[in-house]
Amino acid sequence: MWEFLVDRFNQILYSSWQHFSLVVQCLILATIIAVGIAALVYRSKGLTGVANGISAVGLTIPSFALIGILIAPFGFGVTPAVIVVTFFAALPILRNAIVGLTGVDRSLVESARGIGMGRTSTLMRVELPMAWPVILAGVRVSAQMVMGIAAITAYALGPGLGGLIFTGLSRLGGANSLNSVVVGVVAVVIIAIILDLLLLALGRLTTPRGIRV
């Protein structure tokens, strides 16, 4: 194992960075999409129900099958990996964003409107800051969930540590095959822990003090 790590250290480090970068970029994209959709539907019970239903059904789709389907129109590489990771990352964030926005005290919203703030200004300056801790909780859940999904995208030749895992599994029983799988899995777990700590720190920095207290 030690020889395997030393001989392939640069490759493991590069794959780890690719994995981290893929997940973080997809999380940012998923957050923008999910919060945008939530901002459009949270005032309507009907649309909220539809969005929550889509979120629930989406999580039942096998990620491996979705990757296979996307290979036909998009081919192999980064594109299907980004689509799959972003899709699954957006689902928990969407649900939490709706919960967070609908949970904001209506009296605060009415007070903001009473002093002349428009709907958009109220959303950006009152509702989203109040809902941010709940939204961030969804982001943290998504980050842990899509870490494993990002590894599966190696089936479509996506970037990241999945290449190490799939390579090891494809020749299980051969030289260094088990080492490749173990290193890939452990690296994914370590990156997941690091990202969760970074998101926890982000929450402390971006959550208004009054809400945090």
Side-chain angles (χ1 to χ4, degrees):
M1 175 66 77
W2 178 251
E3 291 180 358
F4 180 85
L5 288 171
V6 172
D7 292 341
R8 294 168 175 79
F9 179 76
N10 289 334
Q11 177 192 349
I12 295 169
L13 193 63
Y14 180 67
S15 296
S16 299
W17 168 249
Q18 281 188 319
H19 201 95
F20 179 82
S21 178
L22 172 65
V23 171
V24 169
Q25 291 181 65
C26 289
L27 273 178
I28 294 172
L29 181 58
T31 302
I32 293 171
I33 294 172
V35 173
I37 294 174
L40 293 174
V41 306
Y42 79 103
R43 292 178 182 271
S44 168
K45 289 185 178 180
L47 293 177
T48 296
V50 171
N52 284 330
I54 293 174
S55 176
V57 172
L59 289 172
T60 67
I61 299 174
S63 56
F64 195 82
L66 183 57
I67 292 168
I69 292 171
L70 290 175
I71 289 176
F74 298 105
F76 293 91
V78 175
T79 301
V82 170
I83 293 173
V84 169
V85 175
T86 302
F87 172 76
F88 283 103
L91 301 178
I93 300 173
L94 174 59
R95 175 164 291 191
N96 276 44
I98 292 173
V99 171
L101 289 172
T102 55
V104 174
D105 191 342
R106 292 297 97 188
S107 63
L108 294 176
V109 176
E110 293 302 323
S111 297
R113 299 298 295 272
I115 61 173
M117 294 176 64
R119 179 173 177 177
T120 301
S121 181
T122 302
L123 174 66
M124 299 300 296
R125 299 177 62 182
V126 178
E127 293 175 286
L128 280 178
M130 295 291 292
W132 175 240
V134 180
I135 297 172
L136 187 60
V139 175
R140 292 179 64 188
V141 170
S142 286
Q144 303 306 304
M145 183 180 71
V146 299
M147 272 293 172
I149 295 174
I152 297 174
T153 61
Y155 176 74
L157 303 182
L161 292 161
L164 282 173
I165 299 172
F166 272 76
T167 299
L169 291 174
S170 65
R171 51 187 181 83
L172 204 58
N176 288 321
S177 59
L178 183 60
N179 290 339
S180 182
V181 175
V182 171
V183 168
V185 171
V186 171
V188 169
V189 173
I190 292 173
I191 293 173
I193 294 172
I194 292 173
L195 181 55
D196 190 58
L197 292 174
L198 290 175
L199 289 173
L200 184 62
L202 176 65
R204 291 184 178 276
L205 291 173
T206 58
T207 302
R209 184 178 178 183
I211 298 174
R212 191 166 64 243
V213 172

